[in-house]
Amino acid sequence: MRRLWGIFLVSLKLGCTSFGGPTAHLGYFQNEYVQKRKWLPDKEYSQLVGLSQFLPGPASSQVGMGIGLLRGGLLGSIVSFLGFTLPSVLLLMAFAYFSAHTGLDMGWVHGLKLVAVAIVAQAIFEMSKKLIPSIRHFIIALLALAVVLLWVHPLAQVTTIIVASFIGYLFFKLTNQREEPKETIVPISKITGICFLALYVLLLIGLPIASPFIQYEWFMLIEKFYLSGALVFGGGHVVLPLLEAQFVQSGLMSSSDFLAGYGMTQAVPGPLFTFASYIGMVIAGVPGAIIATLAIFLPAFLLIVGAMPFWLTLNRIAGLRGAMAGANAAVVGILAAAFIHPIVTQTIQNGLDIVIAASFLWCLIRWKVQPYLLVLIGICVGIVCY
């Protein structure tokens, strides 16, 4: 129990202080878990980061779950997730409540939406440099962009990712790593891992099939958030178009509320996936926020726990790595489609909006302003200008 409490407190500290998105989170983790506490060696940490980036889901959260698993078994993985996620969940729930019940001038919300324009534009720019290394990758991204813009359907993004993964499996069979990683002792068996992976697949297939027959709001939230969390490649920003398709296109929430919440998500520490907590709070109050949070993180938990007994083998399968390359190329196109609509079309209304959004983007790329600081600036600009 003392070990589990220690895991929770350390992850809670990280959840309160880890600003800047998944890449920055991994730096915080490396400093806290590897350098300061020496819970695992640097090489083993690098292997765990590689595994989390290989799998769909929020990379930094999965690394935290993996470290918790190595340190304290399955319960250690759960308490690590709770500590790292809880601060941002509570902050975004409070923001959703405040937004729904305040009578103040809402010009600051437009400022948040302009921040979202800049942050997503930067994400597309940074992801393109890493995930579009060739003309073939660019073609996949371009086709994904066209499909998502032309086929307006909640399953368009998911279908595109699956097709792109298959194309990548066929054409991007990357060379295997030359270095043989050190064997890592994982405190669960391969049988347990297979059960977790099977449950991931069963829910991924079964929830959409069962959804038309189970007409309850809580089940609808589980199905939509699980599906969004199960097929996110390329970082937390990619969950934006998936959630937009599930909740804005279906009419469950307004585009204005959606973009305001996404902008505020940049201001809080912890994983970007807690944007789901805000959406759940807007749609169904506190129970909705809890269900949304657990449902969107459940695939990441099932995958990291299920894959860890096999992580060395998975990392050496060229076909699967190729499938990930295809999926990553597609998500750049999907994120670009979400940037065009609804982010730009619903936010940029005049020349002043263009100037402000471009200025925010310049701050991010040129001056490396932290997103949470930009959110504060955006709120002030919105109050003054709108």
Side-chain angles (χ1 to χ4, degrees):
M1 182 58 69
R2 171 179 284 184
R3 173 167 289 197
L4 292 177
W5 185 245
I7 294 171
F8 175 78
L9 290 178
V10 173
S11 60
L12 181 65
K13 171 189 171 183
L14 289 167
C16 292
T17 58
S18 295
F19 292 90
T23 302
H25 297 167
L26 295 176
Y28 289 114
F29 284 8
Q30 202 269 348
N31 179 68
E32 185 71 28
Y33 289 127
V34 178
Q35 296 182 5
K36 183 177 179 181
R37 300 187 180 273
K38 302 188 184 304
W39 283 4
L40 69 170
D42 189 70
K43 186 175 181 180
E44 192 170 295
Y45 176 75
S46 298
Q47 294 170 12
L48 182 57
V49 170
L51 175 66
S52 68
Q53 293 175 337
F54 176 87
L55 299 170
S60 57
S61 296
Q62 286 175 311
V63 170
M65 293 174 189
I67 292 173
L69 179 68
L70 294 173
R71 182 73 177 173
L74 286 176
L75 288 178
S77 182
I78 293 171
V79 298
S80 178
F81 155 73
L82 291 175
F84 184 57
T85 309
L86 190 60
S88 55
V89 168
L90 295 177
L91 288 171
L92 288 171
M93 287 173 63
F95 173 71
Y97 179 84
F98 173 78
S99 299
H101 293 83
T102 182
L104 299 177
D105 177 22
M106 297 301 284
W108 59 274
V109 172
H110 192 70
L112 278 178
K113 292 162 68 175
L114 291 173
V115 171
V117 171
I119 287 176
V120 175
Q122 185 209 25
I124 294 170
F125 175 72
E126 296 295 336
M127 289 171 62
S128 298
K129 293 192 296 184
K130 298 177 182 179
L131 304 179
I132 310 293
S134 72
I135 187 65
R136 291 187 297 174
H137 292 80
F138 177 76
I139 291 173
I140 291 177
L142 193 61
L143 290 174
L145 168 65
V147 168
V148 172
L149 284 178
L150 296 174
W151 183 28
V152 182
H153 190 277
L155 294 179
Q157 290 87 349
V158 173
T159 304
T160 301
I161 290 173
I162 293 173
V163 173
S165 299
F166 181 71
I167 294 173
Y169 180 82
L170 295 177
F171 296 104
F172 297 147
K173 292 189 176 182
L174 307 179
T175 57
N176 294 331
Q177 294 180 341
R178 295 179 180 177
E179 181 182 359
E180 279 294 320
K182 175 184 174 183
E183 189 68 34
T184 302
I185 299 176
V186 181
I188 60 170
S189 67
K190 290 186 176 181
I191 297 297
T192 303
I194 291 173
C195 291
F196 275 79
L197 294 175
L199 181 57
Y200 165 83
V201 175
L202 180 64
L203 291 172
L204 182 62
I205 297 173
L207 287 175
I209 293 175
S211 182
F213 305 101
I214 304 178
Q215 299 297 323
Y216 291 102
E217 185 178 55
W218 61 267
F219 188 86
M220 177 272 294
L221 290 175
I222 292 173
E223 186 260 333
K224 290 183 179 296
F225 280 109
Y226 184 89
L227 192 64
S228 297
L231 294 170
V232 172
F233 290 85
H237 290 288
V238 182
V239 80
L240 171 69
L242 296 175
L243 292 177
E244 190 272 338
Q246 295 287 355
F247 294 98
V248 178
Q249 292 181 19
S250 61
L252 291 171
M253 69 183 303
S254 70
S255 178
S256 178
D257 287 341
F258 183 86
L259 292 176
Y262 184 75
M264 181 55 67
T265 304
Q266 314 303 317
V268 301
L272 291 174
F273 266 44
T274 51
F275 181 33
S277 308
Y278 167 85
I279 296 176
M281 185 74 175
V282 170
I283 293 175
V286 174
I290 295 172
I291 291 173
T293 305
L294 295 178
I296 201 169
F297 280 100
L298 179 59
F301 174 73
L302 295 176
L303 281 172
I304 193 68
V305 173
M308 282 192 68
F310 308 96
W311 63 347
L312 302 182
T313 303
L314 285 172
N315 200 41
R316 292 194 292 261
I317 299 177
L320 292 181
R321 295 167 64 210
M324 182 182 175
N328 283 336
V331 300
V332 175
I334 291 172
L335 190 56
F339 177 72
I340 295 171
H341 181 76
I343 294 176
V344 170
T345 59
Q346 299 289 331
T347 303
I348 304 298
Q349 301 172 358
N350 51 48
L352 179 61
D353 288 344
I354 296 174
V355 171
I356 293 174
S359 300
F360 288 164
L361 180 60
W362 180 261
C363 290
L364 288 170
I365 295 177
R366 179 66 177 174
W367 295 339
K368 308 298 182 184
V369 174
Q370 290 297 316
Y372 68 92
L373 292 177
L374 194 65
V375 167
L376 298 177
I377 296 171
I379 291 174
C380 294
V381 169
I383 293 173
V384 172
C385 298
Y386 301 98

